[in-house]
Structures are given as structure tokens and as C-alpha cells.
Amino acid sequence: MPFSFALPTTSSANLSDFFTSSTHPSLPLLATTKRSVFKDALKKHKRISPRDQPAHLPAVQDAANAYIPYLLALNTASAYRDVGLEEVSVEIVKPLEVEWRTTISATIPGREAPRPKVTGLHHELAFTLSSLAYTYSLLARSQLRSLYASNVLSPEQRTAAISSAMKHLLDAHSIHSFLLSLPSVSAAKDGPPDVQASTITALAALAMAEATLVVVSKDDPYASAVADDRNENNRDWMYKAPTIPKVRAHLYARICLAAAEHAGQAHGLLARSATGKIDEDLIKYANDLRRTARGKAIRFLAINAELSGSTGEALAWLNGAKRELGLSSGSGEDGKRKGLRGLKQSWQERREDKRVEKGGEWGLDAGRLEESRIVEMLDAKWDRENSTVNVQLVPDFEPLLSQMPSGREYHTPQPWSPPVLDASSLMQMRAPPEPAQKAFEGEEDDSGSEGGYGGLSPEPVGAFPGTAADYGRSATSSSYY
């Protein structure tokens, strides 16, 4: 369900050309080496196939965590502050200039995202920490994918996957919040839209919305029942009926409403901050996440009404959830969808199931189709019961929606503790580097137009094969996605 972020890539940079230290001469050299390893990890992640990318995420995470202490040390010492308990002197020879490929900025369809040159250590910090936050979101995606794939999970495995995904999303939120706490990053106006303060604020709100919505997934029996029902490998229906325990529906509804508020804040910031400059898929995802959270909240309020015996009111709540999720209101007594709109939705759901199995770009609707299945299942079940057993009138849902409760926060955000250099590492950097010692500059190619997975170089549309270099960096490519 978390958004499928694309990790940015960056150019090579010898930090010794931009920084010098009289107290710790080896600091710029070692920082260059760590940065080169991080750069290689990002470029390798981009070149491998989408199916293998989730397994490579821990390598990107380790490379980022190894580079961040040196980057923070340079940033702190260049501002004439002590690194930990040790005084470190760093002088800026010239402003740092590197290229970072933007990944959430709007681009021309079919063309690879640009790699603009950014100036300043604060932009290097923003892109590096944002890459780590994206990595945590992608790790959460890999955990949650197991809930919707064809493999059958035990309750313990399901709980472990949800708990791990929740932790990763909270880490992503903490990193975005840490970025906003840096004055040089929050006050910068010259950077790309990816590292603008409004965009980082929106991404922090989006991660919190996703982490809040994951809370109810652990104890939501209806979501697991629908997932098991469409799972071809599940054989539990042969010998036992699905058990639906009672849930704290009203509490879950308020938690979902809190998630909807965070998603609405993210959507508003992304849509207003840089019109035409943020990827439309990300803006649409934030809006779909808000609708999914509100639809889930209304569904829990319907469950709360049904548990109290008000089946007619519960059906009215479900009608409100249908409108929030964009479902067709017309359905027959058998619960089957009618018309072209229902056919289109069924086709979209089948295509989404194939994406989940292949591990590709699934979940771009923020779980809206999955929630629609749950609402339709409950609507068909309760409508049959209301038509045969206890007949109750179904009121209008507009007055009910106006009486929805306020949201309730579940998580208490914790500040992020970045990795720092210990005293022994700082002491070793007091020794000057050997005259012949050079920093590791990486093994990956530093071309501005990287090929996709498989090492294929992009060819411009209509160009003769093998002449891509003649077109410079304006060559179009869809390999980035």
C-alpha cells in the first residue's frame, strides 16, 4: 500500500575538492569513499529488475547509514560546531556541486527524469536522507505485499509483517521530520521540488497516514477474509467457515479518520506547493489514500451499527462508503456489479491482482480497490439478511456522514536519532592520509543517462541503433520506471 518511490541516483564527487580539515585531514577522504559506495548502491538498485529490487533494499539502507555519519560531521563542523565531544575544524574550499536525479518531480511522459546540479551541503543532506526515507517506505511495501499475494500466511506471520511495515513507515516519517528540523534545509528555496520544505512536510504526513492506517490492518478480520476468499491457494473453506470476531469498530473508525486527515494534508501540500512540478501519480496516490482511509472509517461505523442491531443504518453507512470510494451504487440482489462501470472495476481489480503477484507497480490506488471489495462483501451479506430476517428501512447516508466523530491519533512520533561517528573513528581521522592514498570513486558508471535493469542503454525514439550518444542527455527513455 505505501507509495512506490523510485530511489534517486547521483553523480560522483570528490569531497576533498570542496572541503578541507586541519584537525581531521582524513575526514573528507573517508566521506568521499562512503559516498561512492552509497552512489553505487543507488545505481545498482536502479539497474536491477523490479522483481529483485526489494531484496536489494537492505544494501541501500546499509550504504546510506554508513555515509550519513560522515555527511553530518561535515555539515556540523563546517558550521563551526563540535562533532560530539570533539572539536572538528572543516573549511569550505568551494561550494559543493553534485547532480541528483529527481524522482517525484513531474517529467515529460516517456522521458527519463532529469538530473539537475544542486549547490550546497544542505541539498546533499536533503537528497541523502530522503533516499533513506524512501528506502524505509519501500521496505514497508515489501512487507505488506505478502498480505495480498497468493501465499497463505498464519496469524503470527501476518502480525509480524504488519508490525515490521509499521516500524519502517514510522522511521520514514521521523527522517522527514528530522530534515524539516534542519534550518538550512527548511529555509532553502533554490532546490528542486523533491527537497522543498513543503514537499518534505507532505511526505512526512503521507508516511504518518500510511503508518496509522496499517494499525487497523492487524485486527481487521474483514480484510483478511476478503483476501483469503480470492486466494486460490487457500483451502480453509473446505473444512471450516471464516470466523469474524467482534472488533472495536468505533475506535478503529476514529483511527482511520486521523489517517485521512494526514493524507488530506499531504494531498493539499503536494497539489498546491508546486503546481505542475510534482509527479501526478504521487498527488493522485495521496488523494486515493485519503479516500481509502475515509471509506474504511465509514465501513467501521457501519460495522458498529450492525453489531448493535441496526442493519438498516449499517447499510446506509455502506452507501456512504461506496460514494467515498467511487463505487457504483447500483447492484442487484445477488450483489453482482451491473453496467460498464462495474465491468471496468472488475477488470481493474484483476489487473491489480496480477501486479501484486508479479511484484510490480501495485498499490498505486492506495488500497481503494481492496477496500471496495470489503464494502461490497458486507453490503451483499447484510442486504440479504435485511431482506429476509429483520427488515429495516435504509435511511439516507448524508445525515450520518455529517455526524462522523473526530479522528484519534494512535502513534506518538519519535525523533529520529541519526547514526554518528564515535570517538575512536574521529581519533583515527586525525592522522593525515598517505600521499598516494586516494578515495574510492565507485565501480558503477557515472553517466548522466543510466540504463535500466539489465544494463540496457536507452535509445532515443526514432534514432538509428547505436547513435544514442549523439543525442546527449535529451534522449528519451522509459527504463527508469
Side-chain angles (χ1 to χ4, degrees):
M1 184 176 59
F3 186 73
S4 179
F5 289 101
L7 297 182
T9 55
T10 181
S11 61
S12 298
N14 189 352
L15 299 181
S16 299
D17 296 337
F18 303 95
F19 303 97
T20 181
S21 176
S22 57
T23 59
H24 297 73
S26 298
L27 175 58
L29 185 70
L30 293 177
T32 302
T33 299
K34 299 296 183 181
R35 187 186 188 279
S36 299
V37 174
F38 179 51
K39 179 208 69 173
D40 282 0
L42 290 174
K43 293 199 173 188
K44 183 179 179 181
H45 181 84
K46 178 181 176 180
R47 290 192 172 106
I48 60 180
S49 64
R51 182 182 292 272
D52 298 330
Q53 284 181 350
H56 186 256
L57 289 173
V60 178
Q61 179 186 4
D62 293 340
N65 286 326
Y67 171 51
I68 288 174
Y70 295 86
L71 180 59
L72 290 176
L74 286 175
N75 183 66
T76 302
S78 62
Y80 305 102
R81 291 177 294 172
D82 296 341
V83 178
L85 300 178
E86 190 163 347
E87 180 181 355
V88 181
S89 175
V90 171
E91 296 181 0
I92 300 177
V93 178
K94 58 181 179 179
L96 176 65
E97 290 186 353
V98 292
E99 292 180 355
W100 277 93
R101 190 174 302 282
T102 58
T103 55
I104 62 175
S105 298
T107 56
I108 300 176
R111 180 169 296 181
E112 192 172 23
R115 197 168 77 168
K117 181 177 293 185
V118 294
T119 304
L121 194 59
H122 57 289
H123 289 321
E124 175 77 4
L125 260 174
F127 273 104
T128 301
L129 293 181
S130 295
S131 301
L132 181 59
Y134 298 159
T135 303
Y136 279 118
S137 295
L138 294 175
L139 286 171
R141 271 181 63 87
S142 64
Q143 292 292 331
L144 293 177
R145 177 179 173 268
S146 60
L147 304 182
Y148 305 102
S150 59
N151 54 319
V152 180
L153 298 180
S154 64
E156 293 77 12
Q157 291 174 328
R158 181 182 178 88
T159 301
I162 292 175
S163 300
S164 179
M166 188 188 308
K167 181 181 181 301
H168 291 321
L169 291 172
L170 290 176
D171 288 337
H173 168 79
S174 299
I175 294 173
H176 288 307
S177 301
F178 176 83
L179 265 177
L180 293 173
S181 67
L182 300 177
S184 58
V185 175
S186 60
K189 303 295 183 183
D190 57 335
D194 298 51
V195 293
Q196 291 288 335
S198 58
T199 305
I200 298 174
T201 304
L203 294 178
L206 196 65
M208 179 55 69
E210 293 166 342
T212 304
L213 206 58
V214 167
V215 172
V216 301
S217 300
K218 183 173 60 175
D219 298 323
D220 186 4
Y222 300 92
S224 58
V226 171
D228 292 341
D229 182 63
R230 74 171 189 274
N231 191 346
E232 297 179 355
N233 297 329
N234 184 30
R235 298 293 184 266
D236 291 346
W237 58 272
M238 292 182 176
Y239 56 88
K240 71 173 183 178
T243 57
I244 306 294
K246 292 185 178 181
V247 297
R248 295 171 290 176
H250 196 270
L251 174 62
Y252 292 160
R254 295 187 61 188
I255 293 176
C256 291
L257 288 174
E261 293 174 1
H262 290 297
Q265 178 189 2
H267 176 257
L269 288 171
L270 291 174
R272 293 195 308 266
S273 62
T275 305
K277 296 183 179 180
I278 296 295
D279 186 12
E280 289 294 332
D281 289 339
L282 180 58
I283 299 176
K284 182 179 180 298
Y285 172 84
N287 187 41
D288 284 343
L289 184 63
R290 180 192 63 83
R291 296 176 62 183
T292 301
R294 283 186 58 85
K296 195 181 292 288
I298 297 173
R299 191 247 300 178
F300 276 117
L301 292 175
I303 295 173
N304 185 64
E306 197 273 336
L307 290 176
S308 62
S310 303
T311 309
E313 181 181 340
L315 290 171
W317 280 113
L318 290 182
N319 289 334
K322 287 181 180 180
R323 189 184 70 173
E324 189 67 43
L325 296 170
L327 286 174
S328 176
S329 58
S331 60
E333 294 180 357
D334 55 358
K336 295 182 179 180
R337 303 167 185 174
K338 299 294 183 68
L340 293 176
R341 190 172 184 178
L343 182 63
K344 178 182 178 182
Q345 184 181 340
S346 299
W347 174 75
Q348 289 176 340
E349 291 177 355
R350 288 194 298 269
R351 188 173 67 169
E352 183 71 11
D353 292 342
K354 292 180 180 179
R355 287 174 175 172
V356 172
E357 292 299 327
K358 294 180 180 179
E361 298 296 323
W362 66 276
L364 292 181
D365 65 335
R368 187 165 56 89
L369 291 176
E370 188 71 17
E371 183 62 27
S372 301
R373 289 172 168 174
I374 303 174
V375 170
E376 289 184 329
M377 179 197 72
L378 292 177
D379 181 71
K381 177 177 181 294
W382 293 346
D383 184 67
R384 287 194 301 267
E385 294 177 358
N386 191 53
S387 300
T388 57
V389 182
N390 45 344
V391 179
Q392 297 182 11
L393 294 177
V394 180
D396 295 333
F397 61 85
E398 285 86 356
L400 294 176
L401 296 183
S402 63
Q403 302 173 6
M404 292 178 64
S406 59
R408 177 175 175 177
E409 297 290 346
Y410 182 86
H411 298 293
T412 301
Q414 300 295 328
W416 182 60
S417 299
V420 295
L421 293 174
D422 54 16
S424 60
S425 299
L426 287 172
M427 185 177 299
Q428 293 175 0
M429 287 185 288
R430 292 179 181 176
E434 298 293 334
Q437 185 178 2
K438 295 183 179 180
F440 175 70
E441 297 181 358
E443 299 176 350
E444 293 288 336
D445 184 24
D446 191 29
S447 60
S449 178
E450 302 115 339
Y453 65 91
L456 300 178
S457 60
E459 292 284 352
V461 177
F464 190 80
T467 61
D470 299 336
Y471 292 82
R473 290 184 57 188
S474 62
T476 58
S477 170
S478 61
S479 63
Y480 187 70
Y481 302 98

